[in-house]
Amino acid sequence: MFSNRYIFIYSTIIVAIVAVALTLIAVGLKPYQDNNIRIEKMQNILKSINVVATPKNAEALYKKYIVKTFTLNAQMKPVDVDAFSIDLAKEVKKTDTSARLYPVYIACLDNGDSSYIFPLRGQGLWGPVWGYVALKNDFNTVLGVMFDHKGETPGLGAEIATETFQAQFFGKQIFDEQGNYRSIRVLKGGAKPDDVHGVDGISGGTITSRGVDKMIFEGLKAYLPYINYRKKI
Amino acid sequence: MKEPLFSSRNIKLLSGPLNLNNPITVQILGICSALAVTVQMKPALVMALSVTVVTAFSNLIISSIRNTIPQRIRIIVQLVVVATLVIIVDQILKAFVYDVSKKLSVFVGLIITNCIVMGRLEAFAMAEKPWRSFLDGLGNGAGYGLILVAVSFLREFFGSGKIFGMQVVPRIMYENGYQDNGLMILPPMALITIGIIIWIQRSINRDLIDKS
């Protein structure tokens, strides 16, 4: 039989040992984990311009295609912050929206055209959804998109991360002929074949589809002053 | 007299769980993760290795300190040790096999609650010497892993026509009307696959059949 005193001391020592061990391991492995997250971000950005990268060649391809990055503040004025290091999760949480930062990535494609990549972040059914929309240099036509999610339902909402869903966005337009902002709607019940502003939503994934719809609408809307300014030149 | 490290009694600790005392098919433990991570072989293999490492080392650690653990808080101590090992495994996966760790997601964390781990600690490590406990942990982890790999092989092969992510069903088969069985990718087929494995195993080893 062990005394209470022994039990208390015993548990204290065990917990102390465990705490020290875990701290050392977490600190030691942090650089590797951060690097993985960085490389995944590069892969995601490249995917929005339809370049498939593996973890091994992501860094080289990113250097090759992404020629310029910059950051805009809420008034769409450039600020001196590294665009790649901005964590959008933190930006969308800011209660003061005028303090938000908006990163932009510019890619130079194989055919010499430039493409403008806008990161987006929104809310799905179970957790956050995020993605990148790449516009062609007319600032209207979609070159490609990339979506991912934290934990949407497999087979339903999680389908937003599949090639089939994302391929629908190719060639869609965010402005109508009069130049009004239409975004690209994710439509429940499907989009008409000739609809250049809509894609099919996911059956059984209505709330996730709505989340993606809102994310694109709100996300690109924030960049509108910049997009409109660039369209005029 | 000192027992040799790999005496027949010790070897049995390793081989028993692979067949006649398999944690999944005979003791029916650890089913939940077996259903969830067996869509593809690579995550299944990583999961199997993770569980093996955790069972083996938690058995080793608990067995080494078993005489100092107060009875009244033994489950807490066991959990602290298991949780520590699981966090270490999770952190290592995140650092070195990031894509697999994303697929396994919560299931690595849930190794803490895997019945096999706690079961072996309570039933074996609390009463046996460290080396034997370590072998028992390895054996049970491997027994769990064996079923995981078998199930994931069947599911990936019939569900996606791939093995370890490599296309093995030739294109010409698809052109002639062959289709992957989409049902194999869904969790219910994992349960049915495990059921079939249990059936085959019991038809071969009639002793396992419940007499009643």
Side-chain angles (χ1 to χ4, degrees):
Chain A
M1 203 49 196
F2 295 97
S3 64
N4 280 348
R5 195 184 139 86
Y6 177 86
I7 293 178
F8 275 114
I9 295 173
Y10 190 86
S11 18
T12 313
I13 292 174
I14 286 261
V15 171
I17 294 173
V18 164
V20 171
L22 286 183
T23 314
L24 288 178
I25 283 168
V27 171
L29 293 175
K30 190 97 179 28
Y32 296 97
Q33 296 169 351
D34 287 348
N35 193 40
N36 286 335
I37 293 168
R38 204 171 63 91
I39 282 177
E40 193 194 22
K41 190 169 179 179
M42 289 179 177
Q43 281 178 288
N44 289 345
I45 293 173
L46 287 169
K47 202 172 156 214
S48 73
I49 52 166
N50 309 321
V51 174
V52 179
T54 64
K56 284 201 182 70
N57 65 14
E59 201 145 13
L61 285 174
Y62 182 86
K63 259 195 199 123
K64 182 181 159 204
Y65 284 103
I66 307 300
V67 286
K68 195 180 165 203
T69 64
F70 57 90
T71 309
L72 300 168
N73 63 13
Q75 290 76 44
M76 292 292 117
K77 297 278 176 294
V79 282
D80 190 23
V81 182
D82 177 28
F84 191 81
S85 66
I86 292 176
D87 182 1
L88 224 58
K90 282 188 193 134
E91 295 301 318
V92 293
K93 275 204 193 103
K94 282 183 184 168
T95 41
D96 178 14
T97 47
S98 64
R100 271 197 60 179
L101 294 173
Y102 297 89
V104 180
Y105 305 87
I106 304 178
C108 181
L109 306 175
D110 285 331
N111 62 9
D113 283 353
S114 9
S115 170
Y116 296 76
I117 304 165
F118 304 97
L120 312 168
R121 194 175 173 96
Q123 193 65 30
L125 172 59
W126 304 114
V129 289
W130 58 89
Y132 296 88
V133 169
L135 295 180
K136 289 187 181 161
N137 55 5
D138 61 357
F139 284 94
N140 185 14
T141 318
V142 174
L143 175 78
V145 293
M146 181 273 151
F147 298 122
D148 208 350
H149 59 94
K150 175 97 193 230
E152 297 306 299
T153 324
L156 301 174
E159 295 292 298
I160 59 164
T162 60
E163 207 54 52
T164 353
F165 178 73
Q166 295 174 9
Q168 297 186 88
F169 287 80
F170 298 166
K172 300 283 173 184
Q173 298 181 346
I174 62 167
F175 294 102
D176 63 16
E177 275 152 20
Q178 285 76 45
N180 300 318
Y181 175 58
R182 298 285 302 271
S183 176
I184 292 158
R185 311 315 300 252
V186 183
L187 299 168
K188 186 179 177 175
K192 294 198 182 73
D194 58 343
D195 188 355
V196 289
H197 308 297
V199 296
D200 299 346
I202 292 155
S203 318
T206 307
I207 296 183
T208 312
S209 301
R210 261 187 230 148
V212 172
D213 180 81
K214 190 171 171 222
M215 168 174 86
I216 302 170
F217 184 84
E218 301 284 337
L220 289 178
K221 198 174 153 197
Y223 285 101
L224 271 185
Y226 170 75
I227 293 175
N228 279 326
Y229 165 74
R230 288 303 306 264
K231 264 179 71 164
K232 282 190 198 116
I233 338 177
Chain B
M1 198 188 89
K2 207 167 173 294
E3 197 183 353
L5 281 184
F6 289 101
S7 64
S8 63
R9 203 164 72 99
N10 285 352
I11 291 296
K12 226 183 187 143
L13 291 174
L14 278 175
S15 62
L18 292 183
N19 186 10
L20 292 179
N21 205 11
N22 189 285
I24 294 186
T25 61
V26 179
Q27 300 172 32
I28 321 287
L29 294 177
I31 295 279
C32 26
S33 53
L35 301 186
V37 299
T38 51
V39 179
Q40 290 168 324
M41 287 194 78
K42 198 174 166 196
L45 193 69
V46 173
M47 183 70 181
L49 286 175
S50 310
V51 171
T52 308
V53 167
V54 172
T55 16
F57 283 95
S58 60
N59 261 8
L60 178 69
I61 293 169
I62 288 294
S63 169
S64 322
I65 59 172
R66 68 186 187 283
N67 294 327
T68 68
I69 301 175
Q71 268 299 312
R72 276 188 280 167
I73 59 163
R74 69 176 197 287
I75 302 277
I76 300 174
V77 175
Q78 289 166 9
L79 266 181
V80 168
V81 170
V82 174
T84 310
L85 287 169
V86 168
I87 294 170
I88 293 174
V89 166
D90 192 31
Q91 293 288 320
I92 291 175
L93 292 183
K94 277 204 183 107
F96 299 111
V97 276
Y98 187 64
D99 51 330
V100 177
S101 93
K102 264 181 56 183
K103 274 196 193 116
L104 292 174
S105 64
V106 296
F107 292 101
V108 174
L110 286 179
I111 297 176
I112 299 171
T113 59
N114 191 316
C115 331
I116 298 170
V117 183
M118 287 290 282
R120 289 334 286 170
L121 291 178
E122 269 291 281
F124 201 92
M126 286 301 285
E128 295 272 353
K129 291 217 171 74
W131 173 245
R132 277 174 58 75
S133 300
F134 183 70
L135 290 181
D136 178 76
L138 276 186
N140 274 283
Y144 169 86
L146 184 72
I147 301 296
L148 241 67
V149 170
V151 173
S152 62
F153 169 77
L154 293 170
R155 290 183 73 191
E156 193 175 356
F157 183 74
F158 290 109
S160 337
K162 294 176 181 171
I163 289 176
F164 278 112
M166 306 260 283
Q167 192 70 38
V168 285
V169 175
R171 187 147 291 281
I172 190 139
M173 294 264 289
Y174 291 102
E175 279 158 12
N176 288 308
Y178 175 82
Q179 281 207 338
D180 290 325
N181 185 345
L183 200 59
M184 288 303 275
I185 302 175
L186 302 174
M189 275 316 281
L191 192 62
I192 294 174
T193 313
I194 291 177
I196 293 173
I197 291 176
I198 293 178
W199 181 22
I200 296 173
Q201 192 192 19
R202 295 197 181 191
S203 323
I204 299 170
N205 304 298
R206 300 223 142 248
D207 299 344
L208 291 173
I209 299 171
D210 198 345
K211 293 292 177 297
S212 60

